[in-house]
Amino acid sequence: MPVSDDEAARLLAPLERFSSLALAVSGGGDSLALLHLTAGWARARHSAGLPVPGLQVLTVDHGLRPEAAAEVRFVVQQAEALQIPAKILTWQAPEGLTNLQAEARMARYRLMADAMDQSGVEALVLAHHLDDQIETFFDRLTRGSGVYGLAAMAADQSGGPFGLRLLRPFLTVPGARLKASLVARGLSWVDDPSNSNPAYKRVRLRQLQAGLLLEGFDPSRISSTIRRMARAAQAIDAAVDLLLKDACAGDVPDFARLDLARLTPLPEEVRLRLLARLAQHVGGSLQPPRLDRLEALDARLLAGGPLRVTLAGAVFDVSAGGRMRLWPEPGRSLPAAVELLLGQCVHWDGRYRVCLKPDVKGSLRIMPVAQLRQDEALREEVRTLARASGFPTAAFARLPAVMRLEGGGKNGAACLAWALPREPGLVLRRTGDQILSAMMPDN
């Protein structure tokens, strides 16, 4: 049964509060249905004199199949027929990738984040549906996930990859109904052969569902379990949020500190969630640490005593007095220096997006503090901040420093990135991070 106009209006109602949105469209049946249903919803609201978010379509030519270029042109034609602007983004896969699909997915998010930053779009709308949600649940079940993993995908996800806000309005709709909505309009779509290739785990999980259905694992029951896991996760996060903000309220956005006396009395699930979010905030990882590694860290913290361990790119340092400090692990290799040109945005070291708007003069270079050891002014700034914050100077090695480039490409003054004088053309923000949303304004 196709999705009716009234049902589409109910599903898409959460989009009303946004002023600008990007639709991720590949040309497959799911995303093409998203395009046409959203376009119809927007037309109906416009006809009724109601506000409509500005829409644009983003489509990625990943170059993984010979048909990819033709498929993105097809998407652009569909969007233009609906009077929605579309942009083609291009990715070329580096050689030697071990997990091509995962790398391609993250590349798509990165390209879309870049495009959205440049045009000021608030959120990315995805066509994930009920079948995708169930596959995610089973995939995470096979990995031994806890409450958060089994909550699967959120309909509104802040702090997604590369700082994206992700909206998924169709999580309660079976994929067959989205395709039926296209058939009812006489529309065709692109079929990706990887969607039926059993070499991929998600395809094998989909094939298993027919047998599980006979044992009572029907989609409605699984969907109910996902909702209950999501409710439990929200309750745990409510308990974690206040502690997290206190822990990250210091002068250095990439650092955190917490007395173990506040951690150890908490229920185990709350402790594990707090440790996971601290590690992600400090280490900049897009994915939370594995549950078994969190449990091992939790056990060591409960045992007491001095401790220094690394988890997910974050150093956990515990003093004999039970004071825990966290800072980014310098790692074997530091992030590369990047020159930021006018109108360009870069995602730097998994933790920051830095944009230089096109209407300013000059350019900037962003790099880790450790690469500027010879800059005496920066070294003194770090020493001063280290004394004030109680963190060792070595903890600053991976933090972002920004250098203005003067005429002829000469290096100018350098400073810690968040200390750069405020100016309209520069935007500096943490990515994938909900902790600092109200604590660190854009520079």
Side-chain angles (χ1 to χ4, degrees):
M1 181 176 68
V3 177
S4 68
D5 291 344
D6 287 345
E7 184 180 5
R10 290 194 299 273
L11 293 167
L12 297 170
L15 309 188
E16 295 171 5
R17 62 181 181 272
F18 295 91
S19 62
S20 58
L21 295 167
L23 309 180
V25 182
S26 66
D30 306 332
S31 63
L32 203 63
L34 170 68
L35 170 59
H36 282 271
L37 290 169
T38 306
W41 167 78
R43 283 196 305 270
R45 287 185 61 82
H46 181 74
S47 298
L50 298 172
V52 180
L55 299 175
Q56 67 173 265
V57 166
L58 298 177
T59 186
V60 178
D61 179 359
H62 48 64
L64 299 180
R65 292 183 288 108
E67 304 87 358
E71 290 168 0
V72 295
R73 289 195 298 270
F74 167 72
V75 169
V76 171
Q77 292 168 358
Q78 292 283 315
E80 290 178 345
L82 296 167
Q83 298 183 326
I84 298 176
K87 185 173 185 178
I88 295 174
L89 309 172
T90 304
W91 179 63
Q92 185 172 358
E95 294 183 4
L97 293 180
T98 56
N99 190 340
L100 188 57
Q101 280 212 330
E103 293 288 348
R105 180 170 59 252
M106 296 313 296
R108 287 194 292 271
Y109 281 133
R110 177 180 56 78
L111 290 168
M112 291 181 182
D114 288 345
M116 291 166 63
D117 269 330
Q118 291 172 11
S119 54
V121 175
E122 294 176 86
L124 180 67
V125 189
L126 304 172
H128 291 136
H129 49 70
L130 180 59
D131 304 350
D132 298 319
Q133 185 76 313
I134 292 172
E135 286 168 23
T136 300
F137 175 84
F138 279 120
D139 177 57
R140 293 179 179 177
L141 194 63
T142 66
R143 300 172 191 268
S145 293
V147 168
Y148 287 88
L150 298 182
M153 295 181 286
D156 185 344
Q157 179 186 351
S158 298
F162 305 103
L164 288 168
R165 184 169 185 176
L166 304 178
L167 305 177
R168 301 179 177 97
F170 296 152
L171 286 180
T172 59
V173 181
R177 293 192 60 209
L178 295 179
K179 291 184 174 66
S181 303
L182 295 178
V183 172
R185 291 168 168 78
L187 297 170
S188 59
W189 58 88
V190 171
D191 280 318
D192 183 346
S194 71
N195 289 330
S196 56
N197 186 347
Y200 297 111
K201 183 180 180 182
R202 59 186 174 85
V203 176
R204 298 194 300 273
L205 289 172
R206 194 180 311 140
Q207 293 170 345
L208 283 173
Q209 288 182 39
L212 292 172
L213 183 61
L214 298 175
E215 302 299 330
F217 284 90
D218 65 84
S220 63
R221 289 181 179 178
I222 298 170
S223 184
S224 294
T225 298
I226 291 171
R227 288 196 301 273
R228 289 161 187 157
M229 291 293 105
R231 286 204 304 265
Q234 289 169 1
I236 295 167
D237 269 333
V240 166
D241 282 343
L242 291 177
L243 280 170
L244 200 60
K245 288 181 180 178
D246 285 348
C248 301
D251 294 330
V252 184
D254 296 279
F255 292 173
R257 69 176 83 224
L258 183 71
D259 284 325
L260 289 189
R262 301 186 70 186
L263 177 73
T264 53
L266 299 172
E268 182 179 10
E269 197 66 39
V270 177
R271 291 199 309 270
L272 294 173
R273 181 58 172 171
L274 177 57
L275 293 173
R277 288 180 62 183
L278 282 170
Q280 281 188 273
H281 165 69
V282 173
S285 173
L286 296 175
Q287 299 297 328
R290 284 173 44 183
L291 186 55
D292 58 347
R293 294 179 181 175
L294 282 170
E295 290 169 340
L297 172 61
D298 182 56
R300 294 186 67 179
L301 293 173
L302 291 179
L307 174 70
R308 180 174 291 185
V309 296
T310 300
L311 179 66
V315 176
F316 287 73
D317 179 84
V318 183
S319 69
R323 183 72 165 168
M324 182 168 68
R325 301 176 299 177
L326 291 86
W327 62 82
E329 178 191 20
R332 293 188 179 91
S333 61
L334 293 167
V338 177
E339 185 172 344
L340 194 63
L341 304 176
L342 296 181
Q344 185 183 14
C345 293
V346 296
H347 182 258
W348 192 82
D349 196 28
R351 294 175 292 118
Y352 279 95
R353 281 193 73 76
V354 188
C355 300
L356 193 60
K357 295 183 179 180
D359 54 351
V360 296
K361 296 180 180 180
S363 58
L364 300 171
R365 182 176 291 132
I366 183 168
M367 67 198 77
V369 166
Q371 290 187 1
L372 288 166
R373 292 191 181 94
Q374 307 307 314
D375 190 300
E376 183 54 38
L378 180 63
R379 289 172 61 189
E380 181 56 33
E381 183 183 5
V382 168
R383 285 193 292 265
T384 300
L385 193 52
R387 287 192 295 269
S389 66
F391 282 79
T393 55
F396 291 75
R398 201 176 186 97
L399 269 57
V402 172
M403 175 181 290
R404 294 189 179 278
L405 300 182
E406 300 176 344
K410 295 181 179 179
N411 294 338
C415 63
L416 290 167
W418 59 84
L420 199 66
R422 186 179 300 276
E423 59 175 277
L426 181 71
V427 178
L428 170 72
R429 61 182 173 86
R430 288 290 302 251
T431 62
D433 192 344
Q434 300 174 53
I435 300 169
L436 295 178
S437 57
M439 299 166 58
M440 183 181 176
D442 285 350
N443 266 356

